[in-house]
Amino acid sequence: MDDHYVITVKDLAAEPEVYERELRARGINITLRLAATSPTQAGQLFVINDMDRLRSGEPVPAEGPIKPIDGPGPCERPSGCPVGIKVPVGFDKSARVILGRPADPGERYAMPTGIAMPGEPLHCVDYANRTVAEVTALLRERGVTPSYTAHARQRSFTPPDDWYVLDGVMSADGQALLLVGDEPGDERPLPAGC
């Protein structure tokens, strides 16, 4: 494409500095960071299009000039299935691309994924607003150990069994972090494809 650079990362174990050097040689100021995540999210991209605005405290629009390129075929991820990015020739901002890589054994996820997303333990299970006891049992049946947090709490704790699970993410292989409360939360639809 004449008006865009097309960048694909073919090796998630490669050193980000190699890609950054190649980009800088073309005058593109993009920092690439790899973030540990679930195997189902490996290769997922998150783009911050204007780091200068972010550093100054200004809001950064969700959409920007750097666009993900989705792979061919169907995709079950709500945020798409990117295989690379398109960067406009002449891009003169400072940007960051965060790329999910499979976590090493025992490593916590820097890029957590929802417990009901495709490939995760509660995919297509309507768990929101069920009790802590119910969701804990569902997770343990699937070999997942839960921990818990609540709004206005800085540390994990053990909630009463009759509290409600409001949301949940996979925090490491075989570990989930559940957001709980003493009252049900807003209704949430199941992910696409359920």
PDB file of all heavy atoms in Angstrom, residues 65-103:
ATOM      1  N   PRO A  65      -5.104   7.080  13.583  1.00  0.00           N
ATOM      2  CA  PRO A  65      -4.597   6.775  12.244  1.00  0.00           C
ATOM      3  C   PRO A  65      -3.985   5.379  12.105  1.00  0.00           C
ATOM      4  O   PRO A  65      -3.923   4.851  11.009  1.00  0.00           O
ATOM      5  CB  PRO A  65      -3.542   7.851  12.010  1.00  0.00           C
ATOM      6  CG  PRO A  65      -3.132   8.298  13.375  1.00  0.00           C
ATOM      7  CD  PRO A  65      -4.334   8.127  14.248  1.00  0.00           C
ATOM      8  N   ILE A  66      -3.520   4.782  13.207  1.00  0.00           N
ATOM      9  CA  ILE A  66      -2.968   3.431  13.142  1.00  0.00           C
ATOM     10  C   ILE A  66      -4.136   2.458  13.285  1.00  0.00           C
ATOM     11  O   ILE A  66      -4.865   2.492  14.268  1.00  0.00           O
ATOM     12  CB  ILE A  66      -1.921   3.193  14.235  1.00  0.00           C
ATOM     13  CG1 ILE A  66      -0.757   4.171  14.081  1.00  0.00           C
ATOM     14  CG2 ILE A  66      -1.425   1.749  14.198  1.00  0.00           C
ATOM     15  CD1 ILE A  66       0.266   4.091  15.191  1.00  0.00           C
ATOM     16  N   LYS A  67      -4.293   1.606  12.293  1.00  0.00           N
ATOM     17  CA  LYS A  67      -5.448   0.694  12.262  1.00  0.00           C
ATOM     18  C   LYS A  67      -4.992  -0.761  12.278  1.00  0.00           C
ATOM     19  O   LYS A  67      -4.040  -1.119  11.596  1.00  0.00           O
ATOM     20  CB  LYS A  67      -6.258   0.905  10.979  1.00  0.00           C
ATOM     21  CG  LYS A  67      -6.709   2.321  10.744  1.00  0.00           C
ATOM     22  CD  LYS A  67      -7.889   2.647  11.570  1.00  0.00           C
ATOM     23  CE  LYS A  67      -8.408   4.027  11.194  1.00  0.00           C
ATOM     24  NZ  LYS A  67      -9.172   4.626  12.203  1.00  0.00           N
ATOM     25  N   PRO A  68      -5.689  -1.596  13.044  1.00  0.00           N
ATOM     26  CA  PRO A  68      -5.378  -3.028  13.000  1.00  0.00           C
ATOM     27  C   PRO A  68      -5.838  -3.626  11.674  1.00  0.00           C
ATOM     28  O   PRO A  68      -6.787  -3.143  11.057  1.00  0.00           O
ATOM     29  CB  PRO A  68      -6.159  -3.612  14.167  1.00  0.00           C
ATOM     30  CG  PRO A  68      -7.138  -2.594  14.572  1.00  0.00           C
ATOM     31  CD  PRO A  68      -6.712  -1.273  14.014  1.00  0.00           C
ATOM     32  N   ILE A  69      -5.164  -4.672  11.259  1.00  0.00           N
ATOM     33  CA  ILE A  69      -5.540  -5.429  10.069  1.00  0.00           C
ATOM     34  C   ILE A  69      -5.998  -6.792  10.567  1.00  0.00           C
ATOM     35  O   ILE A  69      -5.225  -7.527  11.183  1.00  0.00           O
ATOM     36  CB  ILE A  69      -4.339  -5.620   9.115  1.00  0.00           C
ATOM     37  CG1 ILE A  69      -3.747  -4.286   8.704  1.00  0.00           C
ATOM     38  CG2 ILE A  69      -4.759  -6.445   7.904  1.00  0.00           C
ATOM     39  CD1 ILE A  69      -2.385  -4.431   8.029  1.00  0.00           C
ATOM     40  N   ASP A  70      -7.269  -7.117  10.327  1.00  0.00           N
ATOM     41  CA  ASP A  70      -7.785  -8.416  10.762  1.00  0.00           C
ATOM     42  C   ASP A  70      -7.437  -9.496   9.755  1.00  0.00           C
ATOM     43  O   ASP A  70      -7.359  -9.251   8.547  1.00  0.00           O
ATOM     44  CB  ASP A  70      -9.301  -8.361  10.946  1.00  0.00           C
ATOM     45  CG  ASP A  70      -9.693  -7.758  12.281  1.00  0.00           C
ATOM     46  OD1 ASP A  70      -8.875  -7.815  13.219  1.00  0.00           O
ATOM     47  OD2 ASP A  70     -10.809  -7.240  12.397  1.00  0.00           O
ATOM     48  N   GLY A  71      -7.232 -10.689  10.290  1.00  0.00           N
ATOM     49  CA  GLY A  71      -6.947 -11.836   9.442  1.00  0.00           C
ATOM     50  C   GLY A  71      -8.188 -12.273   8.687  1.00  0.00           C
ATOM     51  O   GLY A  71      -9.310 -11.879   9.024  1.00  0.00           O
ATOM     52  N   PRO A  72      -8.010 -13.089   7.660  1.00  0.00           N
ATOM     53  CA  PRO A  72      -9.161 -13.570   6.890  1.00  0.00           C
ATOM     54  C   PRO A  72      -9.976 -14.578   7.699  1.00  0.00           C
ATOM     55  O   PRO A  72      -9.482 -15.175   8.646  1.00  0.00           O
ATOM     56  CB  PRO A  72      -8.507 -14.240   5.674  1.00  0.00           C
ATOM     57  CG  PRO A  72      -7.142 -14.641   6.149  1.00  0.00           C
ATOM     58  CD  PRO A  72      -6.744 -13.618   7.184  1.00  0.00           C
ATOM     59  N   GLY A  73     -11.211 -14.732   7.327  1.00  0.00           N
ATOM     60  CA  GLY A  73     -12.065 -15.742   7.953  1.00  0.00           C
ATOM     61  C   GLY A  73     -12.797 -15.223   9.165  1.00  0.00           C
ATOM     62  O   GLY A  73     -12.646 -14.067   9.571  1.00  0.00           O
ATOM     63  N   PRO A  74     -13.610 -16.098   9.772  1.00  0.00           N
ATOM     64  CA  PRO A  74     -14.405 -15.691  10.926  1.00  0.00           C
ATOM     65  C   PRO A  74     -13.531 -15.424  12.154  1.00  0.00           C
ATOM     66  O   PRO A  74     -12.449 -15.965  12.294  1.00  0.00           O
ATOM     67  CB  PRO A  74     -15.343 -16.879  11.161  1.00  0.00           C
ATOM     68  CG  PRO A  74     -14.666 -18.047  10.519  1.00  0.00           C
ATOM     69  CD  PRO A  74     -13.833 -17.496   9.395  1.00  0.00           C
ATOM     70  N   CYS A  75     -14.047 -14.561  13.030  1.00  0.00           N
ATOM     71  CA  CYS A  75     -13.328 -14.186  14.250  1.00  0.00           C
ATOM     72  C   CYS A  75     -14.337 -14.111  15.386  1.00  0.00           C
ATOM     73  O   CYS A  75     -15.372 -13.463  15.258  1.00  0.00           O
ATOM     74  CB  CYS A  75     -12.634 -12.843  14.056  1.00  0.00           C
ATOM     75  SG  CYS A  75     -11.832 -12.217  15.545  1.00  0.00           S
ATOM     76  N   GLU A  76     -14.035 -14.758  16.520  1.00  0.00           N
ATOM     77  CA  GLU A  76     -14.945 -14.747  17.663  1.00  0.00           C
ATOM     78  C   GLU A  76     -14.611 -13.666  18.678  1.00  0.00           C
ATOM     79  O   GLU A  76     -15.332 -13.494  19.645  1.00  0.00           O
ATOM     80  CB  GLU A  76     -14.929 -16.113  18.355  1.00  0.00           C
ATOM     81  CG  GLU A  76     -15.565 -17.209  17.536  1.00  0.00           C
ATOM     82  CD  GLU A  76     -15.693 -18.498  18.309  1.00  0.00           C
ATOM     83  OE1 GLU A  76     -15.661 -18.479  19.549  1.00  0.00           O
ATOM     84  OE2 GLU A  76     -15.844 -19.544  17.659  1.00  0.00           O
ATOM     85  N   ARG A  77     -13.496 -12.947  18.504  1.00  0.00           N
ATOM     86  CA  ARG A  77     -13.109 -11.915  19.461  1.00  0.00           C
ATOM     87  C   ARG A  77     -13.856 -10.622  19.170  1.00  0.00           C
ATOM     88  O   ARG A  77     -13.868 -10.151  18.039  1.00  0.00           O
ATOM     89  CB  ARG A  77     -11.616 -11.626  19.379  1.00  0.00           C
ATOM     90  CG  ARG A  77     -10.735 -12.772  19.768  1.00  0.00           C
ATOM     91  CD  ARG A  77      -9.286 -12.362  19.588  1.00  0.00           C
ATOM     92  NE  ARG A  77      -8.386 -13.441  19.892  1.00  0.00           N
ATOM     93  CZ  ARG A  77      -7.105 -13.429  19.581  1.00  0.00           C
ATOM     94  NH1 ARG A  77      -6.575 -12.391  18.959  1.00  0.00           N
ATOM     95  NH2 ARG A  77      -6.339 -14.442  19.887  1.00  0.00           N
ATOM     96  N   PRO A  78     -14.468 -10.007  20.186  1.00  0.00           N
ATOM     97  CA  PRO A  78     -15.190  -8.753  19.952  1.00  0.00           C
ATOM     98  C   PRO A  78     -14.274  -7.639  19.431  1.00  0.00           C
ATOM     99  O   PRO A  78     -14.710  -6.774  18.688  1.00  0.00           O
ATOM    100  CB  PRO A  78     -15.754  -8.376  21.324  1.00  0.00           C
ATOM    101  CG  PRO A  78     -15.520  -9.524  22.221  1.00  0.00           C
ATOM    102  CD  PRO A  78     -14.565 -10.453  21.564  1.00  0.00           C
ATOM    103  N   SER A  79     -12.999  -7.681  19.802  1.00  0.00           N
ATOM    104  CA  SER A  79     -12.075  -6.631  19.360  1.00  0.00           C
ATOM    105  C   SER A  79     -11.344  -7.000  18.079  1.00  0.00           C
ATOM    106  O   SER A  79     -10.425  -6.309  17.666  1.00  0.00           O
ATOM    107  CB  SER A  79     -11.074  -6.328  20.473  1.00  0.00           C
ATOM    108  OG  SER A  79     -10.403  -7.513  20.855  1.00  0.00           O
ATOM    109  N   GLY A  80     -11.760  -8.080  17.424  1.00  0.00           N
ATOM    110  CA  GLY A  80     -11.154  -8.470  16.158  1.00  0.00           C
ATOM    111  C   GLY A  80     -10.021  -9.469  16.342  1.00  0.00           C
ATOM    112  O   GLY A  80      -9.629  -9.798  17.450  1.00  0.00           O
ATOM    113  N   CYS A  81      -9.510  -9.941  15.214  1.00  0.00           N
ATOM    114  CA  CYS A  81      -8.412 -10.913  15.191  1.00  0.00           C
ATOM    115  C   CYS A  81      -7.287 -10.345  14.331  1.00  0.00           C
ATOM    116  O   CYS A  81      -7.104 -10.744  13.184  1.00  0.00           O
ATOM    117  CB  CYS A  81      -8.898 -12.248  14.645  1.00  0.00           C
ATOM    118  SG  CYS A  81     -10.123 -13.053  15.711  1.00  0.00           S
ATOM    119  N   PRO A  82      -6.539  -9.391  14.893  1.00  0.00           N
ATOM    120  CA  PRO A  82      -5.535  -8.709  14.074  1.00  0.00           C
ATOM    121  C   PRO A  82      -4.331  -9.585  13.744  1.00  0.00           C
ATOM    122  O   PRO A  82      -3.945 -10.448  14.526  1.00  0.00           O
ATOM    123  CB  PRO A  82      -5.112  -7.529  14.946  1.00  0.00           C
ATOM    124  CG  PRO A  82      -5.363  -7.990  16.339  1.00  0.00           C
ATOM    125  CD  PRO A  82      -6.560  -8.898  16.259  1.00  0.00           C
ATOM    126  N   VAL A  83      -3.786  -9.335  12.556  1.00  0.00           N
ATOM    127  CA  VAL A  83      -2.547  -9.987  12.133  1.00  0.00           C
ATOM    128  C   VAL A  83      -1.456  -8.935  11.916  1.00  0.00           C
ATOM    129  O   VAL A  83      -0.329  -9.276  11.611  1.00  0.00           O
ATOM    130  CB  VAL A  83      -2.748 -10.824  10.852  1.00  0.00           C
ATOM    131  CG1 VAL A  83      -3.684 -11.981  11.120  1.00  0.00           C
ATOM    132  CG2 VAL A  83      -3.244  -9.969   9.699  1.00  0.00           C
ATOM    133  N   GLY A  84      -1.827  -7.674  12.076  1.00  0.00           N
ATOM    134  CA  GLY A  84      -0.861  -6.593  11.900  1.00  0.00           C
ATOM    135  C   GLY A  84      -1.531  -5.242  12.025  1.00  0.00           C
ATOM    136  O   GLY A  84      -2.688  -5.152  12.447  1.00  0.00           O
ATOM    137  N   ILE A  85      -0.787  -4.208  11.655  1.00  0.00           N
ATOM    138  CA  ILE A  85      -1.322  -2.840  11.692  1.00  0.00           C
ATOM    139  C   ILE A  85      -0.939  -2.104  10.413  1.00  0.00           C
ATOM    140  O   ILE A  85       0.024  -2.456   9.729  1.00  0.00           O
ATOM    141  CB  ILE A  85      -0.807  -2.038  12.911  1.00  0.00           C
ATOM    142  CG1 ILE A  85       0.722  -1.997  12.946  1.00  0.00           C
ATOM    143  CG2 ILE A  85      -1.384  -2.572  14.192  1.00  0.00           C
ATOM    144  CD1 ILE A  85       1.309  -1.092  14.015  1.00  0.00           C
ATOM    145  N   LYS A  86      -1.734  -1.078  10.095  1.00  0.00           N
ATOM    146  CA  LYS A  86      -1.431  -0.156   8.997  1.00  0.00           C
ATOM    147  C   LYS A  86      -1.076   1.190   9.621  1.00  0.00           C
ATOM    148  O   LYS A  86      -1.822   1.705  10.451  1.00  0.00           O
ATOM    149  CB  LYS A  86      -2.643   0.036   8.079  1.00  0.00           C
ATOM    150  CG  LYS A  86      -2.972  -1.141   7.246  1.00  0.00           C
ATOM    151  CD  LYS A  86      -4.042  -0.896   6.196  1.00  0.00           C
ATOM    152  CE  LYS A  86      -5.062   0.151   6.506  1.00  0.00           C
ATOM    153  NZ  LYS A  86      -6.119   0.272   5.503  1.00  0.00           N
ATOM    154  N   VAL A  87       0.065   1.739   9.213  1.00  0.00           N
ATOM    155  CA  VAL A  87       0.522   3.029   9.710  1.00  0.00           C
ATOM    156  C   VAL A  87       0.632   3.970   8.516  1.00  0.00           C
ATOM    157  O   VAL A  87       1.323   3.657   7.544  1.00  0.00           O
ATOM    158  CB  VAL A  87       1.900   2.910  10.401  1.00  0.00           C
ATOM    159  CG1 VAL A  87       2.357   4.264  10.914  1.00  0.00           C
ATOM    160  CG2 VAL A  87       1.848   1.889  11.524  1.00  0.00           C
ATOM    161  N   PRO A  88      -0.023   5.142   8.569  1.00  0.00           N
ATOM    162  CA  PRO A  88       0.070   6.057   7.437  1.00  0.00           C
ATOM    163  C   PRO A  88       1.511   6.533   7.219  1.00  0.00           C
ATOM    164  O   PRO A  88       2.233   6.819   8.178  1.00  0.00           O
ATOM    165  CB  PRO A  88      -0.810   7.246   7.845  1.00  0.00           C
ATOM    166  CG  PRO A  88      -1.595   6.799   9.013  1.00  0.00           C
ATOM    167  CD  PRO A  88      -0.873   5.655   9.634  1.00  0.00           C
ATOM    168  N   VAL A  89       1.911   6.602   5.963  1.00  0.00           N
ATOM    169  CA  VAL A  89       3.196   7.203   5.632  1.00  0.00           C
ATOM    170  C   VAL A  89       3.126   8.652   6.111  1.00  0.00           C
ATOM    171  O   VAL A  89       2.119   9.327   5.932  1.00  0.00           O
ATOM    172  CB  VAL A  89       3.461   7.129   4.109  1.00  0.00           C
ATOM    173  CG1 VAL A  89       4.676   7.947   3.720  1.00  0.00           C
ATOM    174  CG2 VAL A  89       3.623   5.683   3.679  1.00  0.00           C
ATOM    175  N   GLY A  90       4.155   9.125   6.765  1.00  0.00           N
ATOM    176  CA  GLY A  90       4.147  10.488   7.303  1.00  0.00           C
ATOM    177  C   GLY A  90       3.578  10.580   8.705  1.00  0.00           C
ATOM    178  O   GLY A  90       3.423  11.684   9.242  1.00  0.00           O
ATOM    179  N   PHE A  91       3.255   9.455   9.343  1.00  0.00           N
ATOM    180  CA  PHE A  91       2.768   9.470  10.720  1.00  0.00           C
ATOM    181  C   PHE A  91       3.830  10.151  11.581  1.00  0.00           C
ATOM    182  O   PHE A  91       4.985   9.745  11.599  1.00  0.00           O
ATOM    183  CB  PHE A  91       2.529   8.025  11.201  1.00  0.00           C
ATOM    184  CG  PHE A  91       2.077   7.925  12.629  1.00  0.00           C
ATOM    185  CD1 PHE A  91       0.782   8.245  12.979  1.00  0.00           C
ATOM    186  CD2 PHE A  91       2.954   7.516  13.617  1.00  0.00           C
ATOM    187  CE1 PHE A  91       0.352   8.145  14.302  1.00  0.00           C
ATOM    188  CE2 PHE A  91       2.542   7.410  14.939  1.00  0.00           C
ATOM    189  CZ  PHE A  91       1.238   7.728  15.273  1.00  0.00           C
ATOM    190  N   ASP A  92       3.443  11.238  12.274  1.00  0.00           N
ATOM    191  CA  ASP A  92       4.433  12.039  13.002  1.00  0.00           C
ATOM    192  C   ASP A  92       4.179  12.105  14.507  1.00  0.00           C
ATOM    193  O   ASP A  92       4.719  12.951  15.195  1.00  0.00           O
ATOM    194  CB  ASP A  92       4.502  13.449  12.422  1.00  0.00           C
ATOM    195  CG  ASP A  92       3.185  14.205  12.547  1.00  0.00           C
ATOM    196  OD1 ASP A  92       2.181  13.606  12.981  1.00  0.00           O
ATOM    197  OD2 ASP A  92       3.166  15.391  12.195  1.00  0.00           O
ATOM    198  N   LYS A  93       3.369  11.219  15.011  1.00  0.00           N
ATOM    199  CA  LYS A  93       3.101  11.175  16.454  1.00  0.00           C
ATOM    200  C   LYS A  93       3.971  10.090  17.100  1.00  0.00           C
ATOM    201  O   LYS A  93       4.718   9.400  16.442  1.00  0.00           O
ATOM    202  CB  LYS A  93       1.635  10.848  16.691  1.00  0.00           C
ATOM    203  CG  LYS A  93       0.663  11.758  15.983  1.00  0.00           C
ATOM    204  CD  LYS A  93       0.154  12.799  16.905  1.00  0.00           C
ATOM    205  CE  LYS A  93      -0.941  13.599  16.255  1.00  0.00           C
ATOM    206  NZ  LYS A  93      -0.552  14.936  15.918  1.00  0.00           N
ATOM    207  N   SER A  94       3.832   9.971  18.404  1.00  0.00           N
ATOM    208  CA  SER A  94       4.482   8.904  19.159  1.00  0.00           C
ATOM    209  C   SER A  94       3.384   7.928  19.564  1.00  0.00           C
ATOM    210  O   SER A  94       2.407   8.326  20.198  1.00  0.00           O
ATOM    211  CB  SER A  94       5.156   9.505  20.395  1.00  0.00           C
ATOM    212  OG  SER A  94       5.609   8.506  21.246  1.00  0.00           O
ATOM    213  N   ALA A  95       3.519   6.661  19.184  1.00  0.00           N
ATOM    214  CA  ALA A  95       2.468   5.677  19.463  1.00  0.00           C
ATOM    215  C   ALA A  95       3.054   4.468  20.181  1.00  0.00           C
ATOM    216  O   ALA A  95       4.267   4.259  20.192  1.00  0.00           O
ATOM    217  CB  ALA A  95       1.802   5.231  18.164  1.00  0.00           C
ATOM    218  N   ARG A  96       2.170   3.685  20.779  1.00  0.00           N
ATOM    219  CA  ARG A  96       2.574   2.438  21.437  1.00  0.00           C
ATOM    220  C   ARG A  96       1.639   1.335  20.964  1.00  0.00           C
ATOM    221  O   ARG A  96       0.424   1.519  20.909  1.00  0.00           O
ATOM    222  CB  ARG A  96       2.500   2.564  22.945  1.00  0.00           C
ATOM    223  CG  ARG A  96       2.816   1.227  23.640  1.00  0.00           C
ATOM    224  CD  ARG A  96       2.938   1.354  25.117  1.00  0.00           C
ATOM    225  NE  ARG A  96       4.176   2.066  25.407  1.00  0.00           N
ATOM    226  CZ  ARG A  96       4.458   2.624  26.567  1.00  0.00           C
ATOM    227  NH1 ARG A  96       3.589   2.565  27.549  1.00  0.00           N
ATOM    228  NH2 ARG A  96       5.593   3.244  26.766  1.00  0.00           N
ATOM    229  N   VAL A  97       2.212   0.192  20.648  1.00  0.00           N
ATOM    230  CA  VAL A  97       1.447  -0.992  20.286  1.00  0.00           C
ATOM    231  C   VAL A  97       1.771  -2.059  21.329  1.00  0.00           C
ATOM    232  O   VAL A  97       2.933  -2.380  21.554  1.00  0.00           O
ATOM    233  CB  VAL A  97       1.808  -1.491  18.870  1.00  0.00           C
ATOM    234  CG1 VAL A  97       1.078  -2.791  18.565  1.00  0.00           C
ATOM    235  CG2 VAL A  97       1.480  -0.428  17.824  1.00  0.00           C
ATOM    236  N   ILE A  98       0.734  -2.559  21.973  1.00  0.00           N
ATOM    237  CA  ILE A  98       0.891  -3.626  22.966  1.00  0.00           C
ATOM    238  C   ILE A  98       0.362  -4.895  22.318  1.00  0.00           C
ATOM    239  O   ILE A  98      -0.762  -4.933  21.822  1.00  0.00           O
ATOM    240  CB  ILE A  98       0.130  -3.294  24.260  1.00  0.00           C
ATOM    241  CG1 ILE A  98       0.636  -1.955  24.825  1.00  0.00           C
ATOM    242  CG2 ILE A  98       0.293  -4.426  25.273  1.00  0.00           C
ATOM    243  CD1 ILE A  98      -0.227  -1.383  25.916  1.00  0.00           C
ATOM    244  N   LEU A  99       1.194  -5.915  22.313  1.00  0.00           N
ATOM    245  CA  LEU A  99       0.882  -7.163  21.634  1.00  0.00           C
ATOM    246  C   LEU A  99       0.865  -8.296  22.649  1.00  0.00           C
ATOM    247  O   LEU A  99       1.823  -8.480  23.402  1.00  0.00           O
ATOM    248  CB  LEU A  99       1.954  -7.417  20.565  1.00  0.00           C
ATOM    249  CG  LEU A  99       1.859  -8.685  19.754  1.00  0.00           C
ATOM    250  CD1 LEU A  99       0.578  -8.712  18.920  1.00  0.00           C
ATOM    251  CD2 LEU A  99       3.075  -8.788  18.837  1.00  0.00           C
ATOM    252  N   GLY A 100      -0.235  -9.035  22.685  1.00  0.00           N
ATOM    253  CA  GLY A 100      -0.347 -10.158  23.612  1.00  0.00           C
ATOM    254  C   GLY A 100       0.518 -11.327  23.180  1.00  0.00           C
ATOM    255  O   GLY A 100       0.531 -11.695  22.007  1.00  0.00           O
ATOM    256  N   ARG A 101       1.250 -11.893  24.133  1.00  0.00           N
ATOM    257  CA  ARG A 101       2.054 -13.091  23.889  1.00  0.00           C
ATOM    258  C   ARG A 101       1.672 -14.129  24.928  1.00  0.00           C
ATOM    259  O   ARG A 101       1.227 -13.796  26.030  1.00  0.00           O
ATOM    260  CB  ARG A 101       3.547 -12.775  23.980  1.00  0.00           C
ATOM    261  CG  ARG A 101       3.971 -12.331  25.366  1.00  0.00           C
ATOM    262  CD  ARG A 101       5.431 -12.633  25.639  1.00  0.00           C
ATOM    263  NE  ARG A 101       5.837 -12.111  26.916  1.00  0.00           N
ATOM    264  CZ  ARG A 101       5.672 -12.753  28.077  1.00  0.00           C
ATOM    265  NH1 ARG A 101       5.087 -13.922  28.134  1.00  0.00           N
ATOM    266  NH2 ARG A 101       6.091 -12.214  29.211  1.00  0.00           N
ATOM    267  N   PRO A 102       1.810 -15.419  24.598  1.00  0.00           N
ATOM    268  CA  PRO A 102       1.466 -16.438  25.597  1.00  0.00           C
ATOM    269  C   PRO A 102       2.317 -16.271  26.857  1.00  0.00           C
ATOM    270  O   PRO A 102       3.529 -16.072  26.777  1.00  0.00           O
ATOM    271  CB  PRO A 102       1.801 -17.756  24.893  1.00  0.00           C
ATOM    272  CG  PRO A 102       1.836 -17.425  23.440  1.00  0.00           C
ATOM    273  CD  PRO A 102       2.270 -15.989  23.341  1.00  0.00           C
ATOM    274  N   ALA A 103       1.680 -16.323  28.001  1.00  0.00           N
ATOM    275  CA  ALA A 103       2.391 -16.201  29.279  1.00  0.00           C
ATOM    276  C   ALA A 103       3.270 -17.422  29.504  1.00  0.00           C
ATOM    277  O   ALA A 103       2.941 -18.533  29.086  1.00  0.00           O
ATOM    278  CB  ALA A 103       1.395 -16.060  30.423  1.00  0.00           C
TER     279      ALA A 103
END
